[in-house]
Amino acid sequence: MERGLTIVLIASLAFFSVVLVRFSIPSLLPYLIGLNGINTVMGGLIISSLWVGYTIFQVIGGLMVDRYGYNIVIYVLILISIINALYPIIIDQYYLLLVIQFVMGSLLAITYVALISMVLSNYSRGGLGAGIYQSMFFLASSISIMASPLLFSVNIFAPFITFSIIVILSAILVTRVPRGGQVSSTIYIGPGDLRILGMGFIRLSSGFSYLGFLSWSTYYVVHVLKVSPSLSGFYAFLASIMGSVGAVIGGYLGDKVGYALPSILSSLLLAIIVSVIPRLSIIYLLAFLMLLLGFFYGFYAAPSIAVSRLASNIGAASGFLNFMSQLGGSVSPYIIGFLLQYYNFSETLLTIGIISMVLVIVGRRYYFYRKIT
């Protein structure tokens, strides 16, 4: 148990480092939109290009991890550190930035699958282990969203070099983890695995609502709340910081009562909150709902990924589940940017929320299919 917890902490710190990288570019949208003619649609595409690579390589990464072992993440972390340090050089070259975003998303996907497989393969309390691991997402995204605009306003190299150094340090820690076993990896969704498929739709819903809003959160507070771009990260910070608490509580509860109920209820609440946020003018109430948004995403994230322990190929199953959440996260930023050309934030996010609710209903139907029939 003690050895397993040590591995959980090492994997979690490595995940922390790559999430810093993942959210640095989205938090800089207030600076990028308007640069060299970049509009809201083009800005959304910058975010979506990373999520497309991240989404596609969830499944591919799961197959790679099951076949070659989760320690391949060491080499991927080194690549991420090098590429991230190059961002300041290409940040004003729009089409090259799109390509690099796709490549970075692909590498980040492999790290996610490898590290969560490391956790679930070495720690018997899967929900709690996943909760500790997922808590790093919220800590790192909160820090990245708040710090990146501030560092960028001082020097364009500052956020990228800082995060690259942290990634390299985490790679050194991962070298201390024993090599993971390799298995012949396949993905099978059929009568015996409808729980995995159903949870996939629930994760699709939460990624579509929460990740879409989070990607546009700095732009939202600047253009709707009239916040200075350099301080925009503080408000977006509120939308993620409580996720760390929610992830640990949700993972612990999932081990006790099952993984379905916490995932379904919190995904529905995410869709409702995203729909309501742009309709509020009271700043303190808005801040409170943003805190709840982060909490419920964490509460959903840990038990929903811990379901992959039910599959024989943990890497492939966790890759599929994260593929579904990132599919939502890759599509929704572009859809939001597209809708904002014609509608305001209230109408746009209401549309996102309704779609997310429908996806939860579909996921619940598949997850409990055997009980229904």
Side-chain angles (χ1 to χ4, degrees):
M1 179 70 73
E2 182 178 350
R3 171 183 172 275
L5 183 58
T6 300
I7 293 175
V8 168
L9 294 177
I10 291 174
S12 298
L13 289 173
F15 185 47
F16 175 90
S17 73
V18 296
V19 173
L20 289 175
V21 171
R22 193 196 306 182
F23 280 90
S24 59
I25 292 294
S27 65
L28 297 177
L29 275 181
Y31 291 99
L32 297 179
I33 292 179
L35 178 68
N36 296 332
I38 296 176
N39 57 28
T40 58
V41 174
M42 296 172 72
L45 192 56
I46 291 174
I47 309 304
S48 288
S49 61
L50 183 141
W51 290 117
V52 168
Y54 192 79
T55 301
I56 292 173
F57 272 80
Q58 288 298 322
V59 176
I60 297 172
L63 297 172
M64 290 173 61
V65 168
D66 280 340
R67 186 171 296 276
Y68 301 111
Y70 44 65
N71 288 77
I72 63 169
V73 74
I74 297 169
Y75 307 104
V76 179
L77 288 171
I78 294 172
L79 281 174
I80 288 173
S81 178
I82 294 171
I83 294 174
N84 185 65
L86 297 176
Y87 266 106
I89 301 173
I90 54 93
I91 199 166
D92 61 346
Q93 302 177 48
Y94 180 75
Y95 294 103
L96 179 58
L97 180 60
L98 289 181
V99 174
I100 296 300
Q101 280 282 89
F102 178 85
V103 172
M104 181 63 83
S106 303
L107 295 174
L108 291 172
I110 298 172
T111 63
Y112 180 89
V113 177
L115 293 171
I116 191 62
S117 298
M118 189 181 294
V119 169
L120 297 177
S121 298
N122 289 281
Y123 195 54
S124 58
R125 300 175 69 180
L128 180 59
I132 296 171
Y133 175 83
Q134 289 288 162
S135 70
M136 296 297 107
F137 170 86
F138 303 100
L139 287 174
S141 61
S142 300
I143 292 172
S144 183
I145 287 170
M146 184 170 63
S148 294
L150 290 172
L151 292 172
F152 190 82
S153 66
V154 174
N155 185 288
I156 63 171
F157 287 88
F160 303 105
I161 297 300
T162 301
F163 297 160
S164 289
I165 292 172
I166 296 173
V167 172
I168 283 293
L169 293 176
S170 73
I172 294 172
L173 287 176
V174 174
T175 61
R176 300 176 59 87
V177 178
R179 184 174 180 84
Q182 298 113 2
V183 297
S184 177
S185 185
T186 57
I187 296 177
Y188 172 71
I189 301 298
D193 295 291
L194 285 179
R195 286 179 297 183
I196 303 296
L197 180 61
M199 192 60 73
F201 277 100
I202 294 168
R203 287 182 65 87
L204 175 64
S205 165
S206 296
F208 191 80
S209 59
Y210 177 80
L211 294 177
F213 174 77
L214 193 63
S215 295
W216 280 93
S217 57
T218 53
Y219 184 86
Y220 172 76
V221 297
V222 168
H223 289 269
V224 177
L225 303 182
K226 307 304 179 184
V227 173
S228 167
S230 63
L231 298 177
S232 61
F234 171 75
Y235 293 87
F237 168 87
L238 295 175
S240 60
I241 186 59
M242 286 299 292
S244 297
V245 178
V248 175
I249 295 175
Y252 177 81
L253 187 63
D255 286 333
K256 298 293 184 181
V257 304
Y259 301 129
L261 185 61
S263 302
I264 292 170
L265 291 180
S266 50
S267 294
L268 282 174
L269 287 170
L270 284 171
I272 293 170
I273 294 172
V274 165
S275 302
V276 169
I277 278 179
R279 301 176 182 277
L280 298 176
S281 58
I282 303 174
I283 191 66
Y284 296 109
L285 182 56
L286 177 64
F288 175 69
L289 285 183
M290 282 188 166
L291 288 171
L292 286 182
L293 199 65
F295 176 84
F296 284 120
Y297 190 77
F299 197 83
Y300 127 88
S304 65
I305 196 65
V307 170
S308 60
R309 299 184 73 227
L310 303 174
S312 57
N313 299 98
I314 293 176
S318 61
F320 169 76
L321 289 174
N322 211 44
F323 164 82
M324 293 298 279
S325 65
Q326 304 317 317
L327 179 61
S330 63
V331 172
S332 57
Y334 180 78
I335 292 177
I336 290 172
F338 177 81
L339 290 176
L340 286 175
Q341 293 184 109
Y342 307 100
Y343 307 104
N344 57 29
F345 264 104
S346 295
E347 295 167 323
T348 296
L349 293 184
L350 177 61
T351 302
I352 297 297
I354 291 173
I355 294 172
S356 299
M357 293 177 203
V358 171
L359 291 171
V360 172
I361 294 170
V362 173
R364 181 192 178 281
R365 173 74 180 182
Y366 275 114
Y367 192 92
F368 293 108
Y369 180 79
R370 288 176 299 176
K371 295 182 180 180
I372 293 172
T373 57

mmCIF file of all heavy atoms in Angstrom, residues 109-154:
data_model
loop_
_atom_site.group_PDB
_atom_site.id
_atom_site.type_symbol
_atom_site.label_atom_id
_atom_site.label_comp_id
_atom_site.label_asym_id
_atom_site.label_seq_id
_atom_site.Cartn_x
_atom_site.Cartn_y
_atom_site.Cartn_z
ATOM 1 N N ALA A 109 -1.819 13.438 -24.537
ATOM 2 C CA ALA A 109 -2.743 12.304 -24.421
ATOM 3 C C ALA A 109 -2.011 11.053 -23.949
ATOM 4 O O ALA A 109 -2.496 10.315 -23.081
ATOM 5 C CB ALA A 109 -3.420 12.042 -25.765
ATOM 6 N N ILE A 110 -0.847 10.797 -24.517
ATOM 7 C CA ILE A 110 -0.078 9.618 -24.124
ATOM 8 C C ILE A 110 0.323 9.710 -22.656
ATOM 9 O O ILE A 110 0.276 8.718 -21.920
ATOM 10 C CB ILE A 110 1.158 9.459 -25.030
ATOM 11 C CG1 ILE A 110 0.717 9.257 -26.486
ATOM 12 C CG2 ILE A 110 2.016 8.278 -24.574
ATOM 13 C CD1 ILE A 110 1.862 9.293 -27.481
ATOM 14 N N THR A 111 0.702 10.913 -22.208
ATOM 15 C CA THR A 111 1.078 11.051 -20.802
ATOM 16 C C THR A 111 -0.099 10.769 -19.882
ATOM 17 O O THR A 111 0.051 10.108 -18.849
ATOM 18 C CB THR A 111 1.621 12.469 -20.494
ATOM 19 O OG1 THR A 111 0.602 13.444 -20.726
ATOM 20 C CG2 THR A 111 2.828 12.784 -21.341
ATOM 21 N N TYR A 112 -1.295 11.250 -20.265
ATOM 22 C CA TYR A 112 -2.458 11.024 -19.402
ATOM 23 C C TYR A 112 -2.731 9.528 -19.237
ATOM 24 O O TYR A 112 -2.883 9.027 -18.116
ATOM 25 C CB TYR A 112 -3.701 11.708 -19.958
ATOM 26 C CG TYR A 112 -4.915 11.485 -19.082
ATOM 27 C CD1 TYR A 112 -5.214 12.354 -18.040
ATOM 28 C CD2 TYR A 112 -5.742 10.378 -19.258
ATOM 29 C CE1 TYR A 112 -6.296 12.144 -17.204
ATOM 30 C CE2 TYR A 112 -6.825 10.148 -18.426
ATOM 31 C CZ TYR A 112 -7.096 11.034 -17.406
ATOM 32 O OH TYR A 112 -8.164 10.791 -16.567
ATOM 33 N N VAL A 113 -2.789 8.815 -20.352
ATOM 34 C CA VAL A 113 -3.119 7.393 -20.297
ATOM 35 C C VAL A 113 -2.039 6.614 -19.550
ATOM 36 O O VAL A 113 -2.336 5.732 -18.738
ATOM 37 C CB VAL A 113 -3.306 6.832 -21.718
ATOM 38 C CG1 VAL A 113 -3.580 5.338 -21.668
ATOM 39 C CG2 VAL A 113 -4.451 7.550 -22.421
ATOM 40 N N ALA A 114 -0.773 6.933 -19.820
ATOM 41 C CA ALA A 114 0.320 6.217 -19.172
ATOM 42 C C ALA A 114 0.302 6.448 -17.666
ATOM 43 O O ALA A 114 0.466 5.508 -16.868
ATOM 44 C CB ALA A 114 1.659 6.663 -19.760
ATOM 45 N N LEU A 115 0.084 7.686 -17.245
ATOM 46 C CA LEU A 115 0.147 8.007 -15.817
ATOM 47 C C LEU A 115 -1.055 7.466 -15.049
ATOM 48 O O LEU A 115 -0.911 6.977 -13.927
ATOM 49 C CB LEU A 115 0.276 9.525 -15.639
ATOM 50 C CG LEU A 115 1.599 10.127 -16.131
ATOM 51 C CD1 LEU A 115 1.542 11.654 -16.112
ATOM 52 C CD2 LEU A 115 2.770 9.623 -15.295
ATOM 53 N N ILE A 116 -2.263 7.534 -15.637
ATOM 54 C CA ILE A 116 -3.420 6.975 -14.928
ATOM 55 C C ILE A 116 -3.336 5.457 -14.879
ATOM 56 O O ILE A 116 -3.747 4.830 -13.899
ATOM 57 C CB ILE A 116 -4.766 7.433 -15.566
ATOM 58 C CG1 ILE A 116 -5.953 7.058 -14.662
ATOM 59 C CG2 ILE A 116 -4.960 6.841 -16.941
ATOM 60 C CD1 ILE A 116 -5.936 7.710 -13.307
ATOM 61 N N SER A 117 -2.751 4.829 -15.911
ATOM 62 C CA SER A 117 -2.522 3.385 -15.876
ATOM 63 C C SER A 117 -1.527 3.029 -14.779
ATOM 64 O O SER A 117 -1.670 2.012 -14.091
ATOM 65 C CB SER A 117 -1.996 2.897 -17.230
ATOM 66 O OG SER A 117 -2.940 3.123 -18.255
ATOM 67 N N MET A 118 -0.520 3.863 -14.613
ATOM 68 C CA MET A 118 0.462 3.686 -13.542
ATOM 69 C C MET A 118 -0.225 3.705 -12.184
ATOM 70 O O MET A 118 0.077 2.897 -11.294
ATOM 71 C CB MET A 118 1.511 4.793 -13.644
ATOM 72 C CG MET A 118 2.716 4.641 -12.754
ATOM 73 S SD MET A 118 3.862 6.034 -12.939
ATOM 74 C CE MET A 118 4.400 5.811 -14.636
ATOM 75 N N VAL A 119 -1.176 4.625 -12.014
ATOM 76 C CA VAL A 119 -1.905 4.739 -10.752
ATOM 77 C C VAL A 119 -2.791 3.518 -10.513
ATOM 78 O O VAL A 119 -2.717 2.873 -9.461
ATOM 79 C CB VAL A 119 -2.764 6.022 -10.743
ATOM 80 C CG1 VAL A 119 -3.737 6.021 -9.563
ATOM 81 C CG2 VAL A 119 -1.873 7.254 -10.687
ATOM 82 N N LEU A 120 -3.640 3.191 -11.492
ATOM 83 C CA LEU A 120 -4.628 2.126 -11.305
ATOM 84 C C LEU A 120 -3.994 0.741 -11.243
ATOM 85 O O LEU A 120 -4.576 -0.185 -10.678
ATOM 86 C CB LEU A 120 -5.670 2.184 -12.420
ATOM 87 C CG LEU A 120 -6.521 3.461 -12.460
ATOM 88 C CD1 LEU A 120 -7.476 3.441 -13.643
ATOM 89 C CD2 LEU A 120 -7.290 3.660 -11.160
ATOM 90 N N SER A 121 -2.814 0.577 -11.811
ATOM 91 C CA SER A 121 -2.131 -0.726 -11.798
ATOM 92 C C SER A 121 -1.370 -0.959 -10.495
ATOM 93 O O SER A 121 -1.038 -2.101 -10.185
ATOM 94 C CB SER A 121 -1.143 -0.825 -12.967
ATOM 95 O OG SER A 121 -1.797 -0.735 -14.203
ATOM 96 N N ASN A 122 -1.095 0.095 -9.739
ATOM 97 C CA ASN A 122 -0.229 -0.045 -8.576
ATOM 98 C C ASN A 122 -0.894 0.306 -7.253
ATOM 99 O O ASN A 122 -0.269 0.171 -6.204
ATOM 100 C CB ASN A 122 1.011 0.843 -8.749
ATOM 101 C CG ASN A 122 1.958 0.334 -9.810
ATOM 102 O OD1 ASN A 122 2.728 -0.602 -9.576
ATOM 103 N ND2 ASN A 122 1.900 0.934 -10.993
ATOM 104 N N TYR A 123 -2.155 0.753 -7.287
ATOM 105 C CA TYR A 123 -2.825 1.159 -6.055
ATOM 106 C C TYR A 123 -4.186 0.501 -5.986
ATOM 107 O O TYR A 123 -5.008 0.651 -6.901
ATOM 108 C CB TYR A 123 -2.955 2.687 -6.006
ATOM 109 C CG TYR A 123 -3.293 3.244 -4.646
ATOM 110 C CD1 TYR A 123 -2.525 2.935 -3.529
ATOM 111 C CD2 TYR A 123 -4.392 4.098 -4.485
ATOM 112 C CE1 TYR A 123 -2.833 3.469 -2.288
ATOM 113 C CE2 TYR A 123 -4.698 4.641 -3.245
ATOM 114 C CZ TYR A 123 -3.918 4.316 -2.150
ATOM 115 O OH TYR A 123 -4.223 4.840 -0.919
ATOM 116 N N SER A 124 -4.442 -0.232 -4.911
ATOM 117 C CA SER A 124 -5.653 -1.052 -4.825
ATOM 118 C C SER A 124 -6.928 -0.219 -4.682
ATOM 119 O O SER A 124 -7.999 -0.635 -5.125
ATOM 120 C CB SER A 124 -5.544 -2.023 -3.642
ATOM 121 O OG SER A 124 -5.353 -1.310 -2.429
ATOM 122 N N ARG A 125 -6.836 0.955 -4.080
ATOM 123 C CA ARG A 125 -8.024 1.807 -3.900
ATOM 124 C C ARG A 125 -8.127 2.723 -5.113
ATOM 125 O O ARG A 125 -7.707 3.882 -5.090
ATOM 126 C CB ARG A 125 -7.911 2.582 -2.602
ATOM 127 C CG ARG A 125 -7.816 1.675 -1.379
ATOM 128 C CD ARG A 125 -7.586 2.456 -0.101
ATOM 129 N NE ARG A 125 -8.763 3.247 0.257
ATOM 130 C CZ ARG A 125 -8.823 4.019 1.341
ATOM 131 N NH1 ARG A 125 -7.772 4.101 2.150
ATOM 132 N NH2 ARG A 125 -9.913 4.712 1.597
ATOM 133 N N GLY A 126 -8.696 2.167 -6.188
ATOM 134 C CA GLY A 126 -8.677 2.849 -7.480
ATOM 135 C C GLY A 126 -9.339 4.207 -7.487
ATOM 136 O O GLY A 126 -8.831 5.153 -8.081
ATOM 137 N N GLY A 127 -10.495 4.321 -6.834
ATOM 138 C CA GLY A 127 -11.196 5.595 -6.825
ATOM 139 C C GLY A 127 -10.401 6.674 -6.112
ATOM 140 O O GLY A 127 -10.263 7.792 -6.605
ATOM 141 N N LEU A 128 -9.849 6.352 -4.955
ATOM 142 C CA LEU A 128 -9.063 7.324 -4.197
ATOM 143 C C LEU A 128 -7.780 7.675 -4.948
ATOM 144 O O LEU A 128 -7.392 8.849 -5.004
ATOM 145 C CB LEU A 128 -8.727 6.763 -2.816
ATOM 146 C CG LEU A 128 -7.909 7.687 -1.900
ATOM 147 C CD1 LEU A 128 -8.646 8.997 -1.665
ATOM 148 C CD2 LEU A 128 -7.611 6.987 -0.571
ATOM 149 N N GLY A 129 -7.131 6.655 -5.524
ATOM 150 C CA GLY A 129 -5.923 6.927 -6.300
ATOM 151 C C GLY A 129 -6.206 7.842 -7.476
ATOM 152 O O GLY A 129 -5.459 8.794 -7.740
ATOM 153 N N ALA A 130 -7.306 7.561 -8.178
ATOM 154 C CA ALA A 130 -7.694 8.419 -9.297
ATOM 155 C C ALA A 130 -8.057 9.811 -8.815
ATOM 156 O O ALA A 130 -7.809 10.809 -9.506
ATOM 157 C CB ALA A 130 -8.877 7.797 -10.050
ATOM 158 N N GLY A 131 -8.643 9.901 -7.607
ATOM 159 C CA GLY A 131 -8.997 11.203 -7.052
ATOM 160 C C GLY A 131 -7.772 12.053 -6.763
ATOM 161 O O GLY A 131 -7.747 13.253 -7.071
ATOM 162 N N ILE A 132 -6.747 11.443 -6.158
ATOM 163 C CA ILE A 132 -5.498 12.169 -5.898
ATOM 164 C C ILE A 132 -4.880 12.616 -7.217
ATOM 165 O O ILE A 132 -4.435 13.766 -7.363
ATOM 166 C CB ILE A 132 -4.518 11.289 -5.106
ATOM 167 C CG1 ILE A 132 -5.091 10.964 -3.728
ATOM 168 C CG2 ILE A 132 -3.155 11.971 -4.984
ATOM 169 C CD1 ILE A 132 -4.299 9.931 -2.950
ATOM 170 N N TYR A 133 -4.857 11.703 -8.180
ATOM 171 C CA TYR A 133 -4.281 11.994 -9.500
ATOM 172 C C TYR A 133 -5.046 13.127 -10.188
ATOM 173 O O TYR A 133 -4.468 14.096 -10.666
ATOM 174 C CB TYR A 133 -4.327 10.720 -10.338
ATOM 175 C CG TYR A 133 -3.880 10.869 -11.765
ATOM 176 C CD1 TYR A 133 -2.532 10.829 -12.092
ATOM 177 C CD2 TYR A 133 -4.805 11.011 -12.796
ATOM 178 C CE1 TYR A 133 -2.115 10.943 -13.409
ATOM 179 C CE2 TYR A 133 -4.401 11.124 -14.112
ATOM 180 C CZ TYR A 133 -3.051 11.085 -14.412
ATOM 181 O OH TYR A 133 -2.643 11.206 -15.718
ATOM 182 N N GLN A 134 -6.380 13.023 -10.231
ATOM 183 C CA GLN A 134 -7.182 14.038 -10.910
ATOM 184 C C GLN A 134 -7.124 15.381 -10.201
ATOM 185 O O GLN A 134 -7.312 16.422 -10.825
ATOM 186 C CB GLN A 134 -8.640 13.574 -11.019
ATOM 187 C CG GLN A 134 -8.873 12.437 -12.006
ATOM 188 C CD GLN A 134 -8.758 12.882 -13.456
ATOM 189 O OE1 GLN A 134 -8.593 12.066 -14.355
ATOM 190 N NE2 GLN A 134 -8.840 14.170 -13.697
ATOM 191 N N SER A 135 -6.853 15.378 -8.882
ATOM 192 C CA SER A 135 -6.776 16.645 -8.163
ATOM 193 C C SER A 135 -5.669 17.527 -8.730
ATOM 194 O O SER A 135 -5.751 18.763 -8.662
ATOM 195 C CB SER A 135 -6.551 16.403 -6.668
ATOM 196 O OG SER A 135 -5.250 15.905 -6.413
ATOM 197 N N MET A 136 -4.642 16.907 -9.297
ATOM 198 C CA MET A 136 -3.551 17.670 -9.882
ATOM 199 C C MET A 136 -4.001 18.469 -11.106
ATOM 200 O O MET A 136 -3.449 19.537 -11.397
ATOM 201 C CB MET A 136 -2.402 16.734 -10.286
ATOM 202 C CG MET A 136 -1.738 16.015 -9.140
ATOM 203 S SD MET A 136 -0.933 17.126 -7.946
ATOM 204 C CE MET A 136 -2.073 17.012 -6.566
ATOM 205 N N PHE A 137 -5.012 17.956 -11.808
ATOM 206 C CA PHE A 137 -5.549 18.686 -12.952
ATOM 207 C C PHE A 137 -6.043 20.067 -12.522
ATOM 208 O O PHE A 137 -5.774 21.073 -13.169
ATOM 209 C CB PHE A 137 -6.692 17.892 -13.595
ATOM 210 C CG PHE A 137 -7.469 18.658 -14.633
ATOM 211 C CD1 PHE A 137 -7.040 18.701 -15.939
ATOM 212 C CD2 PHE A 137 -8.629 19.345 -14.290
ATOM 213 C CE1 PHE A 137 -7.743 19.418 -16.901
ATOM 214 C CE2 PHE A 137 -9.343 20.056 -15.233
ATOM 215 C CZ PHE A 137 -8.890 20.092 -16.546
ATOM 216 N N PHE A 138 -6.756 20.097 -11.413
ATOM 217 C CA PHE A 138 -7.369 21.350 -10.985
ATOM 218 C C PHE A 138 -6.340 22.290 -10.370
ATOM 219 O O PHE A 138 -6.398 23.501 -10.589
ATOM 220 C CB PHE A 138 -8.499 21.050 -10.017
ATOM 221 C CG PHE A 138 -9.524 20.139 -10.619
ATOM 222 C CD1 PHE A 138 -9.530 18.792 -10.337
ATOM 223 C CD2 PHE A 138 -10.453 20.625 -11.515
ATOM 224 C CE1 PHE A 138 -10.463 17.944 -10.918
ATOM 225 C CE2 PHE A 138 -11.384 19.789 -12.115
ATOM 226 C CZ PHE A 138 -11.385 18.448 -11.809
ATOM 227 N N LEU A 139 -5.416 21.739 -9.609
ATOM 228 C CA LEU A 139 -4.362 22.585 -9.062
ATOM 229 C C LEU A 139 -3.535 23.209 -10.186
ATOM 230 O O LEU A 139 -3.284 24.414 -10.206
ATOM 231 C CB LEU A 139 -3.455 21.762 -8.144
ATOM 232 C CG LEU A 139 -4.018 21.367 -6.784
ATOM 233 C CD1 LEU A 139 -3.041 20.442 -6.065
ATOM 234 C CD2 LEU A 139 -4.293 22.592 -5.935
ATOM 235 N N ALA A 140 -3.108 22.362 -11.135
ATOM 236 C CA ALA A 140 -2.244 22.842 -12.208
ATOM 237 C C ALA A 140 -2.973 23.765 -13.172
ATOM 238 O O ALA A 140 -2.419 24.786 -13.601
ATOM 239 C CB ALA A 140 -1.650 21.653 -12.966
ATOM 240 N N SER A 141 -4.220 23.411 -13.542
ATOM 241 C CA SER A 141 -4.962 24.272 -14.459
ATOM 242 C C SER A 141 -5.245 25.621 -13.815
ATOM 243 O O SER A 141 -5.177 26.659 -14.470
ATOM 244 C CB SER A 141 -6.266 23.601 -14.898
ATOM 245 O OG SER A 141 -7.127 23.349 -13.798
ATOM 246 N N SER A 142 -5.545 25.616 -12.507
ATOM 247 C CA SER A 142 -5.793 26.867 -11.795
ATOM 248 C C SER A 142 -4.542 27.746 -11.798
ATOM 249 O O SER A 142 -4.600 28.947 -12.076
ATOM 250 C CB SER A 142 -6.217 26.582 -10.355
ATOM 251 O OG SER A 142 -7.386 25.817 -10.310
ATOM 252 N N ILE A 143 -3.408 27.125 -11.486
ATOM 253 C CA ILE A 143 -2.151 27.874 -11.450
ATOM 254 C C ILE A 143 -1.780 28.378 -12.839
ATOM 255 O O ILE A 143 -1.384 29.535 -13.018
ATOM 256 C CB ILE A 143 -1.029 26.992 -10.868
ATOM 257 C CG1 ILE A 143 -1.288 26.731 -9.381
ATOM 258 C CG2 ILE A 143 0.342 27.649 -11.069
ATOM 259 C CD1 ILE A 143 -0.356 25.720 -8.766
ATOM 260 N N SER A 144 -1.934 27.504 -13.851
ATOM 261 C CA SER A 144 -1.569 27.886 -15.213
ATOM 262 C C SER A 144 -2.450 29.018 -15.724
ATOM 263 O O SER A 144 -1.960 29.989 -16.323
ATOM 264 C CB SER A 144 -1.672 26.678 -16.140
ATOM 265 O OG SER A 144 -1.264 27.000 -17.450
ATOM 266 N N ILE A 145 -3.755 28.912 -15.488
ATOM 267 C CA ILE A 145 -4.696 29.933 -15.956
ATOM 268 C C ILE A 145 -4.437 31.278 -15.281
ATOM 269 O O ILE A 145 -4.549 32.337 -15.918
ATOM 270 C CB ILE A 145 -6.144 29.468 -15.702
ATOM 271 C CG1 ILE A 145 -6.517 28.356 -16.684
ATOM 272 C CG2 ILE A 145 -7.122 30.625 -15.836
ATOM 273 C CD1 ILE A 145 -7.823 27.679 -16.366
ATOM 274 N N MET A 146 -4.057 31.247 -14.013
ATOM 275 C CA MET A 146 -3.812 32.490 -13.295
ATOM 276 C C MET A 146 -2.420 33.048 -13.583
ATOM 277 O O MET A 146 -2.242 34.256 -13.763
ATOM 278 C CB MET A 146 -3.970 32.273 -11.787
ATOM 279 C CG MET A 146 -3.826 33.552 -10.975
ATOM 280 S SD MET A 146 -4.292 33.363 -9.237
ATOM 281 C CE MET A 146 -3.076 32.159 -8.700
ATOM 282 N N ALA A 147 -1.411 32.165 -13.643
ATOM 283 C CA ALA A 147 -0.022 32.626 -13.754
ATOM 284 C C ALA A 147 0.405 32.942 -15.179
ATOM 285 O O ALA A 147 1.207 33.858 -15.394
ATOM 286 C CB ALA A 147 0.919 31.582 -13.153
ATOM 287 N N SER A 148 -0.112 32.189 -16.157
ATOM 288 C CA SER A 148 0.367 32.374 -17.534
ATOM 289 C C SER A 148 0.170 33.798 -18.055
ATOM 290 O O SER A 148 1.108 34.380 -18.614
ATOM 291 C CB SER A 148 -0.305 31.362 -18.463
ATOM 292 O OG SER A 148 0.103 30.047 -18.152
ATOM 293 N N PRO A 149 -1.028 34.394 -17.911
ATOM 294 C CA PRO A 149 -1.174 35.774 -18.389
ATOM 295 C C PRO A 149 -0.252 36.759 -17.671
ATOM 296 O O PRO A 149 0.296 37.682 -18.295
ATOM 297 C CB PRO A 149 -2.644 36.103 -18.105
ATOM 298 C CG PRO A 149 -3.324 34.787 -18.035
ATOM 299 C CD PRO A 149 -2.320 33.865 -17.420
ATOM 300 N N LEU A 150 -0.052 36.546 -16.361
ATOM 301 C CA LEU A 150 0.818 37.441 -15.611
ATOM 302 C C LEU A 150 2.269 37.310 -16.078
ATOM 303 O O LEU A 150 2.954 38.312 -16.315
ATOM 304 C CB LEU A 150 0.712 37.137 -14.115
ATOM 305 C CG LEU A 150 -0.605 37.515 -13.434
ATOM 306 C CD1 LEU A 150 -0.640 36.993 -12.012
ATOM 307 C CD2 LEU A 150 -0.798 39.025 -13.446
ATOM 308 N N LEU A 151 2.751 36.075 -16.212
ATOM 309 C CA LEU A 151 4.125 35.844 -16.660
ATOM 310 C C LEU A 151 4.326 36.335 -18.086
ATOM 311 O O LEU A 151 5.359 36.915 -18.424
ATOM 312 C CB LEU A 151 4.468 34.357 -16.547
ATOM 313 C CG LEU A 151 4.579 33.786 -15.128
ATOM 314 C CD1 LEU A 151 4.716 32.271 -15.172
ATOM 315 C CD2 LEU A 151 5.750 34.402 -14.387
ATOM 316 N N PHE A 152 3.316 36.098 -18.934
ATOM 317 C CA PHE A 152 3.403 36.500 -20.339
ATOM 318 C C PHE A 152 3.463 38.018 -20.465
ATOM 319 O O PHE A 152 4.138 38.545 -21.352
ATOM 320 C CB PHE A 152 2.201 35.952 -21.103
ATOM 321 C CG PHE A 152 2.300 36.090 -22.596
ATOM 322 C CD1 PHE A 152 3.012 35.172 -23.341
ATOM 323 C CD2 PHE A 152 1.660 37.131 -23.257
ATOM 324 C CE1 PHE A 152 3.100 35.279 -24.724
ATOM 325 C CE2 PHE A 152 1.740 37.260 -24.629
ATOM 326 C CZ PHE A 152 2.461 36.328 -25.373
ATOM 327 N N SER A 153 2.753 38.714 -19.571
ATOM 328 C CA SER A 153 2.767 40.180 -19.619
ATOM 329 C C SER A 153 4.120 40.746 -19.217
ATOM 330 O O SER A 153 4.470 41.869 -19.585
ATOM 331 C CB SER A 153 1.673 40.752 -18.711
ATOM 332 O OG SER A 153 1.933 40.457 -17.350
ATOM 333 N N VAL A 154 4.904 39.962 -18.467
ATOM 334 C CA VAL A 154 6.251 40.382 -18.074
ATOM 335 C C VAL A 154 7.256 40.061 -19.168
ATOM 336 O O VAL A 154 8.062 40.903 -19.573
ATOM 337 C CB VAL A 154 6.661 39.704 -16.752
ATOM 338 C CG1 VAL A 154 8.116 40.026 -16.412
ATOM 339 C CG2 VAL A 154 5.741 40.125 -15.620
#
